[in-house]
Amino acid sequence: MILLKVLRGVAVALMGFGILWGVSGTASAKVEGNTVYLGAAISLTGKYSTNGAHTRRGYDLAVEKINAAGGVTVDGQAYELGIIYYDDESTPARGAQLAERLIQQDGVTFILGPYSSGLTRAMAPITEKYGVPMVEANGASISLFQEGYKYLFAVLSTTEQYLQGAIALAAETAEDGQVLRVALAMENDPFSQDVRAGVIADAERLGMRIVIDDKLPPELNDMSATMAKVRALKPDLLVVSGHAKGAALAIRQIADSRIDVPMLALTHCDAAQVIEKFAEKAEFALCASQWAPGLSYSDDLFGSARDFADLFEATFDYAPPYQSAESAAAVMVFADAFERAGSFDPAAVRDALAATDLMTFYGGINFDEAGRNVAKPMVLFQVQDGEYRVVYPSDTAEAPFAHPTPRWSER
Amino acid sequence: MLENLQLLFDYPALGADLIANGLMIGAIFALAAFGMALVWGVLGIINIAQGELVMLGGFVALTAAGLGVPPLMTIPLAALVLFMIGWGLYRLVIFRVVDRDLFVSLLATFGLSIILQQLSNEVFGADVRTLETGLGTLILFDSQIVLAEIKLVSFVTALVVGLALWAFLKRARLGQAIRATSQNARAARILGIDTDRVYAATYALNAALCGAAGSLVVMAWTIHPYIGLPYTVRSFLVVIVAGLGNIAAVIAAGLGLGALENVAGFVLGAEYQIAFVFSLMVIILVVRNLLLRRKREYLK
Amino acid sequence: MTDIQKYALVATSLLFSLVAPFLLPQFATQLTMLWLMVIFALTWDTLGGQMGYNSFGNILFFGIGAYGCAVIQRDMGLDYFSGLAVGLAFAAVLSAIVAIVLGVGMLGLRGHYFAIGTLGLGIAAGEIAGGWDYVGAGSGMVPPLYPTEMAGRELFFYFLMFALALVTFLVLRTLYATKFGLALNAIRDDEDKAEAMGLRTTQIKSLAWAVSALFLGVGGGVAGNLLGFIDPRDVAFAGATFGVWMVLMAILGGKGTLWGPVIGAVVFHITQELFWTYLLGWQRVALGLLIVAIVIFFPNGILGTLRERFPEWFGEKVEERR
């Protein structure tokens, strides 16, 4: 008897929850009172939790600033923005579930993207299926934009551009007829592999040769085997992409093993805090970045990039990494689209998004047909005298590119 | 793969360098494996939370260094703190699974490892962290072999600790009590040994070993809350190969595993390094078992 | 429990399962995952509960199934449903074959060696898949999209997974009722004696693992299509999540019984979803605590504990003797 009761209880409970949460329609946007809600998946736990926190703060700061400035005006009425958050636990399966939940249960019709390409990849098919526009700020993988999604828009530069600057600068250092030799040490995850694909394409286009092509397992905590190869083969450029861990390990192990590489290019230097942690060991490293406070972009909401950085630091007690900046920009894109569409109908907003041509403190935003932002280039820093100095692209460069990196014995 | 082998032939010092670095990595495995062997032999449980204890040791060392403790002093400090944590864990959870089936202990310690991972994530954040010791680099043989001094320190520490452990188990009263309990717990109890305290001490000792290992890891490499499982499985692998009783064998197996893994990562390509280690473990298990099967026995 | 009560119970559950996705469309994906969990628990229990071989690496077959199906779908150029059908068939056959081949070496291991050995297999498989370009290496694979012109993607996957779970249940039920089931239990209780009595333990063990692997493989194929993205470590060979949950659910419900894994899967999945909703940020800690609690306090699981408290329900007569 008890089994029957248990099962009945379960059934009743499920139905009860269902009734409690209500069956929300998906046709109308989630607008309650004068607040329009966006849905967001954030990594509150799991390996991306730190970046998830940066992303969330970016979203929150933008919402706060926009609401303080009067919100968005649609059809003559002013609306505030609100965000519904769920934890995607840094796993794609959860992310997908969460997208379904936001759309089906909570009835949101606009979604802000999660942190990481893997999670964005898991959520994109679902937002596409339901016709829910997603503006994402932290999924850079180019493969996201090769599936023909119409409802996906990304404000950040995509992976193949990450280290374009490094390759371009390397090409400039080549002497006549010299074939530059490039070494790659990339983490074996979707993001880094996409960066790798971009680097290989650029390198081959400029006639360089790839002499080392290591795919590092994500759990790996030591790069000494790769370092040994680098010491033996003496490449002209070493490119490392492995999120913060890759950057930290690379700098630490290159210094510890006294490896002399004329050029070292990394991603996620700021996330790994290479300057704070490694001081002189990080000198001369090239760092790819989506944004920097020193750039000269500005807008009417936040002011200049520097203003945004100051505001962020005042609010959250630390300097904003680019993840926060781009997340804030994503919210601004939605606000702008709402006003231009003049409604909250997802299809209309989607069309307005596609026509975006906006300048923000983060950079220009203009989407191509695939949804990528083609108005903002990646920036390349070099660590010079303990500070990040922009060395590429040349029109925004603050300092000349220092090359070659002096040998360890001379430092 | 062939080009990599070719590289090894062209630059023999490369092989020496790989092995040297691998030995340094292996020293950490050996430390974690001592503890695993102790706990398995004495308490009869397989501690899946081993790697998390290493991770905690690293974070303790990091916190201590943040409070001004000199980096090298964090090694014994982490060991001490983890000793206490280990004792606490024993009293809270482990004592309930000691007399049970091994499988129960596997799952219980797995649950424990998840709790520790997630708590660390909450408390310390998911960032990758590392500790600069200010130690330099050893350059040998005209730059053919380059070793970070901290790695040498970890190697020497592992050896010293191993020796100390061996002496402890042989000579000290508690050490002898531990050995007695591992041989026959009932008899030990009859002879007046408080086996519960022995179990607690053993688990705490294991935690201390992991703590020391963790502090070395944070100084020589990097840590974050999720580095645990690879250390757990590697220490398990070392124990399987070396057996439970023999400390020298554990050291040798740990060092050997580190070196082998590093060389394999080089030759096969880094993406297959971990696959190699685990496949190796499976093959060793299966082969050893098959050999026993011919005598109509099996691995116990 | 009388037979009538049993039939009523089964009928109610079946009915509920059939209408659930219509009553609760917001939960459709979660319910589909629930059936996947049931498959996980049932297949694990065949080896772990019925046969006494605790496998920590059954996730291997889930991953093989996911990749196998995706590769067929990618390479054979059929339309979606034919591709899926062929893919699932391939996943089933491939997983079973792998089980038989690996079983030659692995099933000779006993006890915790088998557990850790299979754990190693699962991890190695994830790493190999992460390095093998044919299946996308670190970037994983994306199965083809469900044709957008057709409605009812959730319903389709729900009923597919439900049907699979049902078939798994019925096949296992039939198997356990035959001599094969008795043989499995004999191996669990004392393998050497069973062998001495003339049971062909090697073949029986292989067959059991192959059956287990087959259903897991098909489950993997369906799950890969449902989730839309096959990551080698986080989805396909997710040992630390799915792989361990398989074990937990079976233990929670009651190892070695037929309904135990089903109940365990339902309770576990619902609890997990509730944790995720209400304990945001702490759900994993709660899960860890739950695991420790289950293992320590309820090693016989729900059914086991019920059996101890209320043996009459299970048809055992307890006579009081004075």
Side-chain angles (χ1 to χ4, degrees), chain A residues 2 22 87 89 121 129 188, chain C residues 26 130 154 229 276 283 313:
Chain A
I2 192 115
D87 178 14
E89 294 183 354
R121 229 177 180 188
K129 179 178 60 161
N188 201 12
Chain C
Q26 322 92 304
E154 286 87 56
F229 174 53
W276 181 52
Q283 70 269 32
W313 293 348

Side-chain angles (χ1 to χ4, degrees), chain B residues 28 38 58 66 106 121 127 139 183 185 207 209 219 265 270 295 300:
Chain B
I28 308 278
L38 259 184
L106 272 176
N121 196 8
D127 276 336
I139 305 186
Q183 286 169 6
L209 287 169
M219 289 192 278
K295 293 185 279 175
K300 285 196 238 290

